[in-house]
Amino acid sequence: MNEASDPSRVVNLSQRMDPASERVGELLNAVRSIANRRLQQWAGNAFEHVDDALFDLAEKAENNAAQMHYFDGMREVRKRRPSVERHFLNAINRSLGELAHPLQQSAVPPASPGTVELSLVADNELEESLAITSMTGKHESRLARDLFAVNQRLSVICGGHKIDDASNPVAPAILAQTFRQALHELSADMRVKLIIYKLFDRYVLSSLEDLYQEINTELARAGVLPQLRHAVARSSGTATGATGHAGAQPAGEVVQVAEESSDIPNDLLQTLHALFSARRSSVGTAGSGMIHAAQSGGPLPSANELLGALSVLQSQIATAGPLPLAQPDDAAALSREVMQLKGQLLSQIGALRGERPSHVATIDEDTIDLVGMLFEFILEDRNLPADMQVMLARLQIPYLKAAILDRKLFAHRQHPARRLLDCLAEQAKGWSEESDRDHRLHDKVKSVVDHLLHDFDDDMGIFERLLVDLQQFQETNKRRSELAEQRVAESTRGREKLEQARRRAAREIIDRIGERKLPPLVHGVLARAWANHLVLTLLRQGEASPEFRSGLRFVDDFIASTRPATDPDSRQALRQMLPGIERSLRLGLANVAFQEHDVERLLGQLHAYYRQQLGEGVEAAEIIAVEEDATMLAIPDSIQPVIERDAEPDESTVDDSIAVPPDSPEWQQVQALQPGAWLEFNNIEEAMTRAKLSWISPMSGRYLFVNRRGLKVADYSPQELAILLIDGHARILAANALFDRALSAIVGRLSQSDAPPSPATDTE
């Protein structure tokens, strides 16, 4: 006989069970057993697929570093999987066991739209929270009927204590948050964690319908609300339990709320919607657009009315003519316009309708505020030059229209409108008047802005077309600048190699001379002719070559030939050395482009010197050149000295007087810089300029900077660059996309406890 048909086993909503009774313990144990068995199996399935997913991504990785991230993640997941699963299942079991004792309950707060965390500032936390919000939102909507029944039945067996999505341990939001806490055991890259979340979504959250149906079947079989009809009451987009059968809920309201919610993507926009709602609630201004409409006595503006009013405002901006170059007060004036847009929009709707509405629907108000905060951020973003800030700020109304037409604009990174604004900002980041004398970039950005202002009505395809055109422009300029960059880098590399070779040759010669006092003739030959020969040999053949070693042996022999020959043996040794010295010297002089007559003149002077050494007859004029005046040497002026007489070579181009603490933030910033990073330089004696780090010398460690055309702007040693950062004469520009920076700033701003309720009128 079916237990549910036994009247003694049926429990109505008006009948509450004693949480301390044995039967409650049995029913909760049954629920825990079902949940543990199902969740253990599904979580195991999710982790079984992590290896394959990460391996596929590693094979497709864009570089070795990204590939290693995925391989490291695979090893970390294998190592930590048992503890993550154990943490997750234990937390769910514990929370289910504590349902009957709400004062002791320690369930993890969910990240549902109504209770989203208000401390999302770090990029990783934001990305993780958005991933959780996205996957839980869609399942809350899909599972609302079955979850409602589970909530109702759990409320009954827990003595009438209300169980809803925010307190049910097997609700999607709490399961996701519990899993998030369990993943704290995993010290893996955020990219790896996001893959795990996707698999958790696929293998756990997507299967919850079976879990809820089994729990409902088991509790109904045990006599808990066996006749309960699955209906859903919603408040603020979250499924909650009702105090009676859902038949009391007006069907029209359920349908209407469901339709409103279906317009909101269950991802970033939903998170921001929750933050906006939370801020309004915290200052006592909560309430939906429906309530505001009732107070104002008129219907809320429809989407078509909003778009029509925006089109009028857009045409006014488009016909206002081109903007002049930015002045100091322009950004402030535009910021005020951004903040006043909501009032202008309501006034325009009133002009079109005949009566001015006082409010718009909550979802539209959130969209208006969000776009307003985006463009307020653009006007405050120091990564953009002032002229470009002013130009991009004109796009507020086209982007508000786009956000109303397609609410996925803020949710999807690959949305064409989002990518277009990111691409414009990236191009603008490196702009300066000096690097854009022909106004090519300025005119291109202005052209895109003008196209959107004049041509955008409701065709979202315009963003894709303008993006393709801008990317083609960017690619053409990139190829041109890369060629210029390559020439600059090669030139700088050549100069550094030459300087390094000169220092090496000078050091080798000076070390061999030591404390000896050489005759001007010999010193002049070594410091000028032969040092240049060593430099060329180093550049062409390298320091390990036989030619370079032979050149150093000549230096030793040449210096040795200056020792006094005072006895027959020493004179005989000197005579034996001279043919080899002359032969090597002829080859070396030819290597540095000595003309034949210059070679003969120099050898003539050397012959005179050696005859004097050997005690043979020498003309008076020859003695002067040998002993007194090195400027009379037969060495062309084109052969410049590598080392000066009695001078030490400069060992380094770095100023040793510059000292930067290695633990200073600026030094760490310099060490972390990679080619492609943009900086803004504001030296006192020069105009402000923006430059890209093009190349870091492997020899000297110096940083080479170029403008957007690929032309050299400056080069600094790491110490010099750190000093510029410390003194405020240099600033590193953000590398991530404008939209990502803006959304992080908006979420952080909304999360502040003292943030004003209306973002569109917010100021910093």
Side-chain angles (χ1 to χ4, degrees):
M1 181 178 178
N2 191 336
E3 293 182 18
S5 65
D6 183 357
S8 64
R9 304 286 292 175
V10 176
V11 182
N12 293 322
L13 279 175
S14 59
Q15 299 172 337
R16 309 302 184 194
M17 299 181 66
D18 181 4
S21 67
E22 290 185 7
R23 189 172 176 215
V24 168
E26 292 174 1
L27 292 174
L28 282 179
N29 282 336
V31 173
R32 277 200 297 183
S33 176
I34 294 170
N36 187 71
R37 173 170 47 82
R38 293 267 187 180
L39 293 174
Q40 185 176 23
Q41 175 189 351
W42 295 336
N45 288 343
F47 276 109
E48 287 296 330
H49 288 82
V50 170
D51 257 20
D52 290 341
L54 292 179
F55 187 80
D56 289 344
L57 288 170
E59 283 191 322
K60 300 172 184 175
E62 63 274 13
N63 53 52
N64 291 337
Q67 190 176 63
M68 288 308 300
H69 274 304
Y70 293 123
F71 285 137
D72 290 343
M74 290 167 61
R75 288 189 289 270
E76 178 70 8
V77 169
R78 290 171 188 168
K79 180 181 177 182
R80 299 293 181 184
R81 171 184 170 179
S83 60
V84 172
E85 290 185 356
R86 185 169 57 252
H87 185 128
F88 172 63
L89 295 172
N90 287 346
I92 298 299
N93 283 334
R94 184 168 59 253
S95 298
L96 284 169
E98 294 170 349
L99 276 180
H101 310 285
L103 295 179
Q104 304 172 13
Q105 190 172 335
S106 59
V108 180
S112 63
T115 57
V116 72
E117 296 177 14
L118 297 182
S119 60
L120 311 176
V121 244
D123 289 345
N124 283 350
E125 287 187 21
L126 175 63
E127 201 162 2
E128 193 173 14
S129 297
L130 294 181
I132 290 174
T133 302
S134 176
M135 65 186 183
T136 56
K138 64 182 179 183
H139 294 299
E140 284 175 340
S141 175
R142 180 178 64 86
L143 300 167
R145 293 171 61 86
D146 290 320
L147 184 56
F148 171 79
V150 172
N151 291 338
Q152 294 292 86
R153 291 187 166 100
L154 288 177
S155 297
V156 171
I157 66 176
C158 291
H161 170 64
K162 182 180 177 182
I163 305 296
D164 56 20
D165 292 6
S167 56
N168 187 344
V170 293
I174 292 188
L175 284 174
Q177 281 296 321
T178 305
F179 188 69
R180 179 184 188 176
Q181 288 201 346
L183 279 188
H184 289 167
E185 302 274 337
L186 201 66
S187 59
D189 185 86
M190 181 51 62
R191 287 175 289 185
V192 173
K193 285 190 175 183
L194 291 177
I195 297 302
I196 297 174
Y197 281 129
K198 288 182 180 179
L199 294 171
F200 180 80
D201 181 15
R202 180 180 303 172
Y203 291 99
V204 179
L205 298 185
S206 295
S207 305
L208 287 179
E209 188 173 6
D210 294 339
L211 171 63
Y212 297 158
Q213 287 179 356
E214 186 173 354
I215 291 175
N216 280 321
T217 300
E218 177 65 23
L219 293 180
R221 187 189 63 79
V224 182
L225 302 181
Q227 306 301 325
L228 177 66
R229 288 182 296 166
H230 298 259
V232 183
R234 281 193 174 270
S235 175
S236 300
T238 305
T240 59
T243 56
H245 287 291
Q249 176 77 8
E253 288 188 23
V254 175
V255 172
Q256 186 176 12
V257 175
E259 286 177 351
E260 283 190 10
S261 299
S262 67
D263 289 338
I264 307 175
N266 290 309
D267 37 37
L268 174 61
L269 193 56
Q270 189 177 26
T271 301
L272 291 165
H273 171 67
L275 288 170
F276 283 130
S277 299
R279 293 310 309 140
R280 294 189 189 102
S281 300
S282 68
V283 294
T285 59
S288 69
M290 296 293 180
I291 296 175
H292 294 318
Q295 292 173 345
S296 64
L300 292 169
S302 66
N304 285 336
E305 284 184 297
L306 287 172
L307 293 171
L310 286 169
S311 294
V312 173
L313 295 176
Q314 178 179 322
S315 65
Q316 293 173 357
I317 295 176
T319 56
L323 291 176
L325 291 179
Q327 300 300 320
D329 294 334
D330 284 357
L334 279 169
S335 182
R336 288 192 295 272
E337 291 181 16
V338 167
M339 293 185 292
Q340 295 166 359
L341 177 61
K342 193 187 300 183
Q344 295 173 355
L345 186 58
L346 291 172
S347 297
Q348 187 60 51
I349 293 173
L352 295 173
R353 178 192 282 186
E355 60 174 349
R356 185 184 189 276
S358 60
H359 291 86
V360 296
T362 301
I363 185 173
D364 293 324
E365 184 177 10
D366 289 348
T367 303
I368 294 169
D369 288 343
L370 182 55
V371 174
M373 293 184 78
L374 167 65
F375 280 87
E376 212 177 334
F377 176 86
I378 289 174
L379 286 170
E380 297 169 354
D381 185 17
R382 292 183 62 200
N383 292 281
L384 296 174
D387 289 344
M388 291 295 173
Q389 285 179 323
V390 171
M391 204 169 335
L392 294 183
R394 302 176 72 202
L395 292 176
Q396 182 184 10
I397 290 178
Y399 268 79
L400 179 52
K401 287 175 66 175
I404 292 174
L405 286 166
D406 184 358
R407 301 192 190 277
K408 295 179 182 178
L409 188 155
F410 282 91
H412 296 161
R413 274 198 174 100
Q414 297 304 311
H415 194 287
R418 178 167 174 170
R419 290 171 60 205
L420 176 62
L421 190 58
D422 281 340
C423 191
L424 284 168
E426 184 62 26
Q427 288 289 290
K429 181 168 68 174
W431 180 87
S432 66
E433 289 190 53
E434 178 64 26
S435 66
D436 192 35
R437 291 182 178 179
D438 56 2
H439 300 290
R440 286 169 56 96
L441 177 57
H442 183 278
D443 291 347
K444 187 62 181 179
V445 173
K446 181 180 179 299
S447 170
V448 173
V449 172
D450 287 344
H451 270 298
L452 283 173
L453 285 172
H454 287 90
D455 302 336
F456 176 48
D457 185 18
D458 58 2
D459 176 17
M460 294 294 289
I462 191 174
F463 292 98
E464 182 70 42
R465 294 191 294 273
L466 289 173
L467 175 63
V468 171
D469 181 59
L470 183 61
Q471 287 174 332
Q472 290 174 347
F473 172 84
Q474 181 182 10
E475 191 61 31
T476 301
N477 284 277
K478 182 181 177 182
R479 286 195 298 268
R480 187 184 294 114
S481 65
E482 282 179 346
L483 288 174
E485 276 187 61
Q486 186 177 358
R487 287 194 292 268
V488 170
E490 288 296 333
S491 174
T492 305
R493 185 182 292 111
R495 285 197 301 272
E496 287 201 346
K497 289 176 70 175
L498 173 60
E499 184 59 32
Q500 187 180 52
R502 289 171 65 87
R503 289 199 301 270
R504 174 66 186 279
R507 170 53 59 197
E508 293 288 354
I509 291 173
I510 286 178
D511 285 348
R512 283 164 167 75
I513 293 174
E515 299 298 324
R516 297 182 184 88
K517 184 73 171 178
L518 296 181
L521 172 64
V522 175
H523 188 281
V525 170
L526 289 176
R528 294 178 64 184
W530 200 255
N532 278 281
H533 167 66
L534 290 179
V535 168
L536 289 177
T537 304
L538 278 170
L539 293 174
R540 293 170 179 171
Q541 279 84 32
E543 63 180 43
S545 65
E547 291 84 355
F548 184 65
R549 291 196 297 270
S550 175
L552 294 180
R553 283 196 300 271
F554 170 83
V555 176
D556 292 332
D557 292 344
F558 199 38
I559 293 172
S561 71
T562 64
R563 297 191 188 105
T566 56
D567 57 74
D569 290 340
S570 59
R571 286 194 289 271
Q572 180 63 27
L574 177 59
R575 288 191 179 94
Q576 291 176 349
M577 292 173 62
L578 292 180
I581 290 175
E582 182 174 342
R583 186 167 52 251
S584 297
L585 190 57
R586 282 183 179 277
L587 292 174
L589 296 178
N591 189 36
V592 292
F594 259 67
Q595 297 298 321
E596 184 63 29
H597 65 275
D598 291 325
V599 173
E600 295 302 329
R601 285 180 57 212
L602 181 59
L603 289 177
Q605 291 176 333
L606 283 173
H607 289 159
Y609 168 72
Y610 286 123
R611 287 198 301 273
Q612 185 181 14
Q613 284 284 84
L614 295 171
E616 300 175 358
V618 181
E619 296 291 336
E622 294 177 326
I623 295 176
I624 293 175
V626 169
E627 295 184 350
E628 296 181 4
D629 192 357
T631 61
M632 296 179 63
L633 293 178
I635 298 178
D637 292 338
S638 59
I639 309 297
Q640 295 297 314
V642 174
I643 52 176
E644 299 296 336
R645 183 178 176 89
D646 300 327
E648 293 287 325
D650 181 15
E651 284 293 337
S652 172
T653 59
V654 176
D655 185 356
D656 293 333
S657 65
I658 299 177
V660 181
D663 58 346
S664 68
E666 291 79 11
W667 178 254
Q668 293 172 7
Q669 284 180 309
V670 170
Q671 294 299 306
L673 279 178
Q674 296 294 324
W678 281 88
L679 280 78
E680 182 181 78
F681 293 99
N682 186 22
N683 295 324
I684 297 175
E685 63 277 4
E686 300 173 7
M688 182 181 296
T689 186
R690 290 172 176 241
K692 182 180 72 172
L693 175 57
S694 174
W695 180 65
I696 301 175
S697 169
M699 291 182 287
S700 66
R702 294 182 71 84
Y703 289 58
L704 173 67
F705 292 93
V706 299
N707 62 21
R708 55 173 295 274
R709 293 163 59 197
L711 303 180
K712 181 178 177 179
V713 171
D715 69 285
Y716 298 104
S717 71
Q719 292 87 348
E720 292 168 340
L721 188 55
I723 291 295
L724 289 174
L725 291 171
I726 292 172
D727 293 342
H729 297 318
R731 182 170 61 88
I732 300 173
L733 303 179
N736 54 334
L738 170 69
F739 242 97
D740 290 340
R741 296 199 310 274
L743 292 179
S744 294
I746 290 170
V747 172
R749 193 168 180 177
L750 289 173
S751 302
Q752 296 172 1
S753 58
D754 57 348
S758 180
T761 59
D762 187 17
T763 58
E764 280 189 342

